[in-house]
């Protein structure tokens, strides 16, 4: 039921130097590229990969937070968390739809996720053992996602850019909600404070890893910048995130788990910014390659949902076919 | 004459139905058969939990005891929850979950319709909003019951099993406690006996299209309205109440 008509997207554009030059000129003029426009196959592939990964991240991201819906401490928090997790699923849906305009079906993308071929954000391969993790995810993970996604609202590919406008509005609400949750814990009992600090300790470094490898080690960056899929480099975005987040932690009396963190007035062309310690890239690559604490569980949960739901999807297809057959039969009978 | 306690207790029982069913639906979030259902399950759960919050909060005002919605939701013992047994049944497969929601929504829709002419203005207000929400639950779940009942051989079989398993629990929806009777007499809440025909009509119309039969019930299952629950309920409460029990008296 997912294989929507592939809209002739596998166009065989002859990528002559003139074509490539004109395509780049359109990008440089800040024109949006739309699904039916001719585009270089590498541009299409890059976007399918990126939007697909983004969609998968939203879907897998429902799991760590979903882990606390039934145990949320108050009805208000429960309702907010349900709404949030539902929003993430909704983002997944728009993003799959945006990727479909490039000629790939949601079913194909789902198969790639379940087979382990397609990636999703590594951050979701960390567990949520305590309620404070819900606050930390909203504050830090959604906060980092916003840094990445706000520039995507100006991405050269129209459907992705437009999807991001709505996604960013919702993420920004989630980020404030997460911060407010952390603030409540930080202002609470010693136990609650400790829970909040512990969550910050566990999520801070993985949040910094969300921006990807250093610019010097990032394989996809240059071309994506040229095509205006990306507007800022990984390291630029990471720095913005650190600069925005450190004062937020200070305001609620939590301590960043980084002894090397310090204000540097010369940073950011003299505007000032924070120097911070080195990221553990071994841990980053370990989680990317499947060795994080929850990689196996996350994929197993998605696969179980998909496999257990197969009979439901088959039934929906069979029923739709029966209805079509009956409508056809009654039309014939009427003639 | 209905006392405030009668009114509050009857609302709390209704709120318990909504909270517990919302809890069960929310367990599907992220684990549903397709992304659309990953969205609609929490959506329906949110409606139910929102309605539960309204009812608990109003019951607290009526009681005047200083209890809060969270005290009611999280800090009672199992015998003090008065939800009907159907809503606490484990989710089972998708057919069970969808059918249970349909049974409940088909009951609540005429309930909220009737409650719009309650002598109590607060209830009228809740009822107007809730009726619209629950109408969607009937539509959504009814469509699924038809798809599954008239889908594949396997889905039809699963749907029939769900009907056999859950139908014995439907009778309890219509149980009228003495407190509820007092509320009916005072014109505060609907007479459940008058809702039965609307419920039966909704179910039989959907079942006809789903090629399902309404079974004869030899032994109705009830007890929840009296606080006598199934074995699964304690496990549900241990999850629902975990934070409030583990960290008592804190603000979240």
């Amino acid at each position: 039921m997912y294989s929507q008509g592939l809209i002739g997207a596998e166009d065989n554009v002859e990528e002559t130097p003139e074509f490539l030059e004109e395509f780049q000129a359109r990008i440089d003029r800040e024109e949006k590229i739309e699904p039916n426009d001719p585009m270089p196959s590498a541009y299409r592939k890059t976007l399918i990969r990126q939007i697909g990964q983004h969609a998968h991240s939203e879907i897998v991201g429902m799991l760590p937070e979903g882990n606390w819906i039934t145990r949320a401490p108050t009805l208000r928090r429960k309702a907010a968390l349900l709404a949030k997790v539902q929003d993430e699923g909704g983002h997944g849906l728009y993003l799959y739809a945006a990727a479909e305009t490039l000629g790939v079906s949601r079913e194909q993308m789902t198969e790639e996720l379940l087979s382990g071929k397609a990636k999703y954000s590594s951050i979701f391969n960390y567990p949520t053992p305590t309620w404070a993790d819900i606050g930390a995810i909203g504050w830090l993970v959604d906060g980092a996602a916003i840094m990445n996604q706000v520039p995507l609202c100006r991405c050269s590919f129209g459907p992705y850019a437009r999807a991001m406008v709505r996604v960013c509005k919702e993420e920004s609400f989630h980020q404030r909600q997460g911060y407010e949750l952390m603030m409540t814990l930080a202002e609470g009992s010693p136990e609650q404070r400790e829970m909040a600090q512990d969550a910050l300790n566990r999520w801070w470094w993985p949040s910094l890893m969300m921006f990807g490898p250093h610019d010097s080690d990032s394989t996809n960056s240059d071309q994506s910048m040229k095509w205006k899929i990306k507007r800022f480099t990984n390291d630029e975005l990471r720095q913005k995130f650190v600069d925005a987040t450190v004062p937020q932690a200070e305001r609620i009396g939590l301590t960043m788990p980084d002894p090397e963190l310090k204000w540097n007035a010369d940073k950011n062309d003299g505007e000032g910014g924070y120097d911070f310690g080195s990221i553990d890239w071994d841990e980053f690559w370990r989680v990317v390659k499947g060795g994080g604490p929850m990689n196996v569980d996350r994929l197993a949960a998605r696969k179980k949902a998909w496999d257990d739901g197969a009979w439901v999807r088959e039934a929906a297809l069979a029923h739709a076919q029966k209805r079509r057959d009956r409508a056809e039969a009654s039309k014939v009978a009427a003639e | 004459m209905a006392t405030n306690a009668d009114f509050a207790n009857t609302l709390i029982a209704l709120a318990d139905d909504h909270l517990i069913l919302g809890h069960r639906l929310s367990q599907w979030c992220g684990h549903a058969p397709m992304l659309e259902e990953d969205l609609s399950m929490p959506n329906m759960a949110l409606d139910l939990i929102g309605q539960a919050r309204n009812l608990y909060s109003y019951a607290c005002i009526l009681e005047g005891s200083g209890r809060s919605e969270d005290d009611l939701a999280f800090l009672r013992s199992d015998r003090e929850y008065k939800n009907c047994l159907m809503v606490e049944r484990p989710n089972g497969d998708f057919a069970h979950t969808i059918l249970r929601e349909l049974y409940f929504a088909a009951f609540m829709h005429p309930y909220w319709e009737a409650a719009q002419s309650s002598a109590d203005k607060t209830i009228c207000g809740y009822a107007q909003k809730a009726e619209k929400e629950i109408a969607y639950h009937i539509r959504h779940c009814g469509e699924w019951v038809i798809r599954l009942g008239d889908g594949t051989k396997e889905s039809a079989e699963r749907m029939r099993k769900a009907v056999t398993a859950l139908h014995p629990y439907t009778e309890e929806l219509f149980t009228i406690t003495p407190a509820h009777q007092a509320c009916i007499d005072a014109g505060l809440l609907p007479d459940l006996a008058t809702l039965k025909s609307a419920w039966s009509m909704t179910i039989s119309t959907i079942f006809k299209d789903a090629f399902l039969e309404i079974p004869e019930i030899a032994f109705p299952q009830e007890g929840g309205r009296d606080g006598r629950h199934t074995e699964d309920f304690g496990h549900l409460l241990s999850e629902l109440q975990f934070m409030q029990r583990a960290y008592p008296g804190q603000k979240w």
Side-chain angles (χ1 to χ4, degrees), chain A residues 1-2 59 62-63 66 68-80 82-83 85-90 92-93 96 106 131 181 184-185 189 191-192 195 301-302 305-306 308-316 318-319 322-323 326, chain B residues 19 22-23 26-27 29-36 38-43 45-46 49 52-53 56 69-70 73-74 93-95 143-144 146-152 154-155 158 209 211 239-244 246-247 250-252:
Chain A
M1 72 196 297
Y2 293 113
I59 301 306
M62 295 172 85
L63 297 170
W68 277 93
I69 292 173
T70 57
R71 291 178 294 166
T74 67
L75 292 179
R76 181 174 82 91
R77 293 288 184 200
K78 188 188 286 286
L82 262 168
V85 178
Q86 189 193 16
D87 282 349
E88 310 293 359
L93 201 56
Y96 282 130
R106 196 201 316 174
W131 171 249
L181 198 164
T184 307
L185 296 177
S189 67
E191 266 175 313
Q192 287 175 306
M195 194 188 277
R302 285 312 306 168
W306 188 248
D308 288 355
W311 70 272
V312 177
R313 299 190 302 275
E314 282 160 17
H319 178 71
K322 283 181 183 177
R323 287 175 73 105
R326 279 178 211 143
Chain B
L19 174 65
H23 179 101
S26 75
Q27 291 174 316
C29 185
H31 306 279
M34 63 194 71
L35 185 47
E36 283 76 0
D38 274 325
L39 300 182
S40 72
M41 291 288 190
N43 194 40
L46 263 175
I49 287 166
R53 292 184 69 187
Y56 283 137
E69 60 171 18
D70 289 329
F74 298 103
D93 64 10
F94 187 72
E143 284 174 357
W144 267 115
I146 294 167
R147 270 183 215 117
L148 298 178
D150 182 29
T152 61
E154 179 183 1
S155 70
R158 284 177 183 262
D209 286 345
F211 301 99
E239 219 179 320
L240 176 71
Q241 298 186 339
F242 165 66
M243 290 295 287
Q244 291 280 349
Y247 305 94
Q250 308 195 4
K251 285 200 166 46
W252 299 98

Side-chain angles (χ1 to χ4, degrees), chain B residues 23 41 53 70 80 98 103 120 126 130 132 140 149 160 163 167 179 181 194 208 224 234 248 250:
Chain B
H23 179 101
M41 291 288 190
R53 292 184 69 187
D70 289 329
E80 293 173 294
I98 283 289
Y103 280 151
D120 184 286
Y126 292 162
K132 293 186 191 85
H140 185 74
R160 279 193 293 274
V163 172
H167 213 83
Q181 186 60 52
T194 65
K208 185 167 167 284
Q250 308 195 4

Side-chain angles (χ1 to χ4, degrees), chain A residues 201 204-205 208 255-262 275-278:
Chain A
N201 293 348
W204 175 245
W205 289 107
L208 296 189
T255 310
M256 290 300 188
D258 179 0
E260 292 173 54
L261 187 77
K262 65 169 193 296
D275 287 331
F276 53 95
S278 339

Side-chain angles (χ1 to χ4, degrees), chain A residues 234-252:
Chain A
N234 295 354
D235 286 327
E236 283 167 345
L237 291 167
R238 187 166 17 240
Q239 185 65 49
K240 274 174 189 272
F241 174 70
V242 171
D243 293 342
T245 312
V246 171
Q248 293 171 354
E250 283 171 359
R251 205 168 305 139
I252 57 175

